[in-house]
Amino acid sequence: GQQVMQIPQYQHVQEGEDFTTYCNSSTTLSNIQWYKQRPGGHPVFLIQLVKSGEVKKQKRLTFQFGEAKKNSSLHITATQTTDVGTYFCAGDSGGSNYKLTFGKGTLLTVNP
Amino acid sequence: GAVVSQHPSRVICKSGTSVKIECRSLDFQATTMFWYRQFPKKSLMLMATSNEGSKATYEQGVEKDKFLINHASLTLSTLTVTSAHPEDSSFYICSAQQRGVETQYFGPGTRLLVL
């Protein structure tokens, strides 16, 4: 079945440093979605990427979807303590059910 | 918009009892609802997918007779953990999806502790 690998598993940074998490799928994706889960909270939708090579920005967050639609990345510029949480990518291989396969997530901690 | 509620938020029960968890989409019609399980510091594991008015589709390794799912209306799905055991203790999260929209909106989750 489809597998979604995400690295790194953990990342600790000083406030102001940049952060990147990478996601790779074993199969070509219809789209990829990114979610953020704060400690003790539930996943919250951040963004969806659909097109090959797509790049989207949300303030300090930059999301990329690879040309082959099998990998993606999330980059945060100048991290802040409010960025703390686990970032999950989730791949949709297509089909009528829109089933998502989640990566294991990257836990980001930020030292003020 | 796109708010999903889950009830209860926490539940403690004795081994052998059954627990029902409700998932509601408050401001939209959810044609599909998903049930996930999450262990501490782990990713979400899809348990089953339910479409309104149909039987749920369970993922491999998930016992359908133990985790009963009902999606009787476009705004409500329930997960019943039957004859709960301590190993069923976990964080259960539902998500809801509108027809034609690929985004899933997550409920706040239910922490189940089986003693």
Side-chain angles (χ1 to χ4, degrees):
Chain A
Q2 180 187 22
Q3 292 185 355
V4 175
M5 312 297 289
Q6 192 173 351
I7 58 169
Q9 192 173 358
Y10 305 98
Q11 183 80 59
H12 178 74
V13 300
Q14 288 292 128
E15 190 171 22
E17 291 181 340
D18 293 354
F19 159 76
T20 305
T21 173
Y22 301 90
C23 199
N24 280 287
S25 169
S26 59
T27 59
T28 301
L29 299 170
S30 168
N31 68 81
I32 194 159
Q33 301 176 26
W34 286 90
Y35 292 79
K36 177 183 178 181
Q37 185 175 19
R38 292 182 185 276
H42 61 279
V44 174
F45 174 77
L46 294 178
I47 208 159
Q48 176 179 280
L49 304 172
V50 179
K51 298 178 183 176
S52 168
E54 189 170 16
V55 178
K56 286 188 176 180
K57 292 192 175 186
Q58 288 180 351
K59 296 183 180 179
R60 295 178 294 104
L61 277 61
T62 302
F63 303 84
Q64 292 189 344
F65 201 10
E67 294 290 341
K69 299 184 74 173
K70 294 180 72 173
N71 57 66
S72 181
S73 65
L74 158 59
H75 179 82
I76 302 178
T77 305
T79 54
Q80 299 175 358
T81 55
T82 53
D83 296 325
V84 164
T86 301
Y87 293 84
F88 292 98
C89 61
D92 173 11
S93 57
S96 59
N97 230 8
Y98 304 118
K99 174 177 149 181
L100 292 178
T101 301
F102 280 80
K104 291 190 182 298
T106 298
L107 172 60
L108 171 65
T109 54
V110 179
N111 204 29
Chain B
V3 178
V4 176
S5 71
Q6 225 174 301
H7 178 80
S9 58
R10 294 176 183 269
V11 58
I12 301 173
C13 69
K14 291 183 179 179
S15 188
T17 61
S18 294
V19 174
K20 180 185 281 189
I21 302 170
E22 292 186 350
C23 178
R24 293 180 186 273
S25 57
L26 298 185
D27 53 0
F28 65 100
Q29 292 186 331
T31 49
T32 304
M33 285 188 171
F34 302 86
W35 286 95
Y36 294 87
R37 185 173 178 177
Q38 187 177 35
F39 293 99
K41 299 183 180 180
K42 298 291 185 183
S43 186
L44 295 105
M45 183 191 79
L46 179 64
M47 298 174 67
T49 303
S50 74
N51 293 297
E52 185 264 337
S54 303
K55 286 185 178 180
T57 302
Y58 289 81
E59 295 299 302
Q60 193 172 8
V62 178
E63 298 175 58
K64 62 180 181 181
D65 294 330
K66 180 167 185 61
F67 299 99
L68 301 177
I69 292 172
N70 184 282
H71 190 167
S73 78
L74 285 172
T75 59
L76 173 64
S77 176
T78 60
L79 166 67
T80 302
V81 183
T82 62
S83 187
H85 288 106
E87 57 263 32
D88 299 324
S89 299
S90 191
F91 189 48
Y92 292 87
I93 310 177
C94 71
S95 70
Q97 189 178 56
Q98 292 176 273
R99 188 187 306 279
V101 178
E102 290 162 343
T103 303
Q104 293 183 25
Y105 298 97
F106 285 83
T110 297
R111 295 196 182 277
L112 170 64
L113 176 60
V114 183
L115 301 177

